[in-house]
Amino acid sequence: MIEFCSLKGVRDTNQDALAVITAAGGTMDVRMIHHDGRDDYTDSTDMPDGMEILLVADGMGGLENGDQASFLTLNFFLESLQSGFRERIDMTEEIGRIVQRTSDDVRDNCPGSGSTLVGMLTHRRMSWIFSVGDSKCIAKTSGGAVRSEDHSLGDGGIITAYIGMEGEVPVNVIPVVDCGNAILFSDGLNPVFEERGTDIADSNESAEFLCRLAVQKGSTDNVTCIIRRDI
């Protein structure tokens, strides 16, 4: 089961975006939230049945047009995945190439802007968690919790890598076998994450509840999360 929520919180606008994509029978089902609202649509695909892609992007407030950058990040990532997908045992290197193409396209189409990106791609027993920036993914496995790696400096939250930057993007990709519960979120959810740690992935509360809880606990940013429950 997958559920999701994105709130502008105390901000005037929402620069976060999310996408949930599943493939079956040559069709992909896309559910997306971005600055202009929500889009749900289907399209033809060569991706295999059961492929699942979860994405959260956070437009960088210190740069221009963060809302556009997060939206374009999701679109360009999906386009690149679609155009270049070949079924592989290990998608680690391919995800790195897709993220790089996504970053280049965002930079070319939305210059001077940028976005974080965290995602999880799942096919059969394998999942790949990938991240650029400080949005996070926590996934539970039989061996314990797996956490995406941040590109940021200290408590000040200075982001050292992002989608749309010049040059090579140092994307982190973590292969996971038999992933269980997982949560992907923008840094607006950090007040709840800091309190619960990796146990946040096992929360029984709804995505909307967790987002609103983060606002109540003093989050000063937009708040977005996707919850994947292994039931």
Side-chain angles (χ1 to χ4, degrees):
M1 183 183 74
I2 298 171
E3 61 175 284
F4 49 84
C5 179
S6 185
L7 303 177
K8 69 178 182 179
V10 299
R11 297 289 181 91
D12 293 332
T13 59
N14 194 349
Q15 296 192 349
D16 288 358
L18 67 83
V20 174
I21 302 102
T22 53
T27 299
M28 66 175 183
D29 177 72
V30 181
R31 292 170 286 170
M32 186 179 294
I33 295 177
H34 51 83
H35 65 287
D36 277 340
R38 176 166 173 171
D39 292 329
D40 293 339
Y41 64 92
T42 59
D43 200 355
S44 59
T45 184
D46 292 329
M47 291 189 293
D49 287 2
M51 175 71 79
E52 174 186 286
I53 304 108
L54 310 178
L55 304 169
V56 170
D58 180 358
M60 295 173 62
L63 301 177
E64 297 180 355
N65 301 316
D67 53 352
Q68 292 288 335
S70 60
F71 172 69
L72 290 174
T73 292
L74 303 187
N75 276 278
F76 285 135
F77 182 92
L78 186 56
E79 287 178 9
S80 294
L81 178 64
Q82 280 276 89
S83 64
F85 181 79
R86 298 291 185 274
E87 187 171 346
R88 292 177 172 83
I89 295 174
D90 189 351
M91 287 286 291
T92 302
E93 291 186 4
E94 183 64 16
I95 289 172
R97 286 190 285 268
I98 291 169
V99 168
Q100 185 64 57
R101 287 196 295 270
T102 300
S103 181
D104 294 342
D105 286 340
V106 169
R107 186 183 65 247
D108 293 343
N109 287 271
C110 195
S113 190
S115 175
T116 71
L117 174 65
V118 65
M120 185 167 71
L121 187 154
T122 299
H123 183 221
R124 297 177 180 167
R125 293 184 61 194
M126 285 300 304
S127 296
W128 291 266
I129 295 170
F130 51 95
S131 59
V132 180
D134 63 352
S135 294
K136 295 177 176 62
C137 176
I138 309 294
K140 291 300 186 73
T141 71
S142 59
V146 176
R147 174 183 168 180
S148 61
E149 300 177 40
D150 286 357
H151 295 99
S152 63
L153 296 176
D155 296 331
I158 299 173
I159 295 176
T160 59
Y162 57 91
I163 300 297
M165 65 186 290
E166 293 285 345
E168 183 176 353
V169 178
V171 58
N172 295 315
V173 185
I174 305 172
V176 177
V177 181
D178 292 335
C179 180
N181 294 342
I183 183 169
L184 297 83
F185 55 97
S186 65
D187 65 342
L189 199 73
N190 280 353
V192 180
F193 170 64
E194 289 165 359
E195 181 179 274
R196 300 189 181 186
T198 57
D199 288 342
I200 193 173
D202 292 324
S203 172
N204 291 321
E205 295 115 340
S206 69
E208 181 176 358
F209 177 88
L210 291 178
C211 288
R212 294 194 181 281
L213 181 61
V215 175
Q216 292 173 10
K217 289 183 175 295
S219 177
T220 59
D221 207 342
N222 309 135
V223 189
T224 297
C225 76
I226 300 174
I227 297 175
R228 177 185 188 267
R229 292 194 176 96
D230 184 28
I231 59 173

